[in-house]
Amino acid sequence: LTGGEVMLYYKEVLRLIKKIRDLGMHSVLETNGSWAIDDGRTERRMGQLIEAGCDYIAISMESYHEPFGGIEYCIRIHEHATRHELP
């Protein structure tokens, strides 16, 4: 799931991931991390993504994304994904 920042459509993304899982396929979510503003929010969303059936998370980081959270948000996502064993 990619194209712009898909997490701007969070409820729809969760439904789509569940549908992908129900069809027996795997999902990969690509994000710039702009939603990972603190540990609490990141943990809640990570748990919901995993519960929906997300199999992989990819972090897209470049200079364009820096004003939207940047490397700190990406590191936070990586740390939470690692705790949940989400590749």
Side-chain angles (χ1 to χ4, degrees):
L1 306 172
T2 187
E5 176 50 50
V6 297
M7 292 293 278
L8 292 172
Y9 307 96
Y10 186 62
K11 291 178 183 178
E12 293 85 354
V13 164
L14 288 178
R15 286 197 309 266
L16 185 55
I17 289 172
K18 288 176 185 176
K19 184 66 172 175
I20 290 168
R21 180 194 58 201
D22 291 347
L23 292 170
M25 298 186 298
H26 296 282
S27 60
V28 179
L29 177 93
E30 183 177 4
T31 180
N32 66 24
S34 59
W35 52 274
I37 58 175
D38 59 41
D39 282 325
R41 181 178 178 155
T42 305
E43 183 63 23
R44 280 189 304 279
R45 290 202 167 185
M46 191 69 64
Q48 291 169 333
L49 287 167
I50 291 167
E51 183 179 325
C54 185
D55 294 299
Y56 303 93
I57 192 162
I59 302 169
S60 173
M61 179 60 201
E62 57 186 72
S63 60
Y64 174 81
H65 297 123
E66 191 65 33
F68 306 105
I71 193 71
E72 294 83 15
Y73 288 21
C74 294
I75 290 169
R76 185 174 293 120
I77 289 172
H78 178 268
E79 289 170 347
H80 285 264
T82 299
R83 274 189 228 133
H84 289 282
E85 299 180 358
L86 180 65

